[in-house]
Amino acid sequence: MTAPARMRRIAAVALIGGLLTAGCVAPPEPPLSSGTSPVLSEELVAYDNLEFATGRRAVFENTCEELPPELFAELGLTTEPYTLDAMSPGCAAEEEWGRVVIEQTAPRGRESQRRYFGDTWNGEGSYSDHFRRWILDDRYYALTYQGGSVGDTCTTAIHTGYLGPLTVSASIPTDERELLYVQDQDFDIETLIADYCSRSEQMAEVLVAAIDPEGGSRLAAG
């Protein structure tokens, strides 16, 4: 592990310690609101015990066809996107730099093993060198984290008031990932953060502005 990666890991441990303390304190969340989503304070990223609303419908039905045609150019995509299958739903595109997948996830599988946005927020099942909570557009809880078989994917997950997050994942080209896998190596974390995490976050901001312009994490269902 590189020195920067070790420093992030130490910072993450320190953050978790602070979060455990914060877990005993009621977070200063704004109440659920109808019509206009409340503004979220940056202080909220330090809390585990947030009240994640689950009453809103999904804001994306996992098909490319439902997205505005002009959105793909705004996302910086140059190739024809395609809808994935039911086993691995979402809208994907293969670019020269790698692959992007947009998906509105939903809890599935055995009841005891289902994961909701709150689980993602608290890092359950995440063992990465990069895990960052943040507030998107002043209205959405969001986090960005590393994943993939060789640490080759960066995902931004956004809480839209639905059970599961809206996710934007950016990953390296398939042939590069397969080579690293054979060599038993991880993709460089600094490059992932600079080139792929930044990309997934930028695309997430463009995406929610286009498909959920009046939404937010604390918007009441209705």
Side-chain angles (χ1 to χ4, degrees):
M1 184 181 292
T2 64
R6 283 196 297 272
M7 291 302 294
R8 277 193 301 277
R9 178 68 73 184
I10 292 171
V13 171
L15 174 62
I16 291 172
L19 294 175
L20 290 174
T21 301
C24 299
V25 180
E29 284 189 284
L32 289 175
S33 175
S34 299
T36 302
S37 182
V39 171
L40 302 174
S41 168
E42 291 287 346
E43 296 177 4
L44 290 167
V45 300
Y47 288 84
D48 284 339
N49 58 330
L50 297 176
E51 180 191 358
F52 293 111
T54 59
R56 289 190 75 203
R57 63 172 181 80
V59 298
F60 179 52
E61 298 297 335
N62 289 325
T63 67
C64 298
E65 292 73 21
E66 71 186 274
L67 298 175
E70 66 276 9
L71 176 61
F72 300 110
E74 294 175 11
L75 291 171
L77 304 179
T78 60
T79 60
E80 186 72 22
Y82 59 95
T83 298
L84 298 170
D85 58 36
M87 293 297 293
S88 180
C91 178
E94 305 288 345
E95 297 287 310
E96 183 178 353
W97 53 263
R99 186 173 192 246
V100 58
V101 177
I102 300 169
E103 179 189 357
Q104 176 78 72
T105 64
R108 49 184 175 258
R110 289 171 50 191
E111 184 174 355
S112 63
Q113 296 177 352
R114 292 173 188 166
R115 295 293 178 264
Y116 299 82
F117 182 83
D119 301 316
T120 308
W121 180 262
N122 291 323
E124 293 187 24
S126 176
Y127 304 95
S128 68
D129 285 327
H130 184 67
F131 183 88
R132 183 175 88 89
R133 294 174 175 174
W134 53 293
I135 304 298
L136 187 157
D137 196 26
D138 295 328
R139 298 173 292 139
Y140 298 88
Y141 294 116
L143 59 132
T144 303
Y145 57 90
Q146 177 197 30
S149 59
V150 292
D152 57 282
T153 302
C154 203
T155 298
T156 294
I158 310 115
H159 179 56
T160 60
Y162 181 61
L163 290 169
L166 175 67
T167 62
V168 180
S169 298
S171 57
I172 67 175
T174 300
D175 56 352
E176 187 175 354
R177 181 180 67 249
E178 291 177 348
L179 179 60
L180 287 171
Y181 189 88
V182 170
Q183 295 173 338
D184 194 23
Q185 295 180 4
D186 286 336
F187 186 68
D188 179 65
I189 183 62
E190 301 299 334
T191 304
L192 185 79
I193 293 171
D195 295 347
Y196 292 87
C197 295
S198 61
R199 190 186 297 271
S200 72
E201 291 182 355
Q202 291 167 5
M203 288 192 292
E205 292 177 347
V206 173
L207 179 66
V208 295
I211 68 173
D212 195 33
E214 303 299 325
S217 294
R218 299 295 291 167
L219 183 65

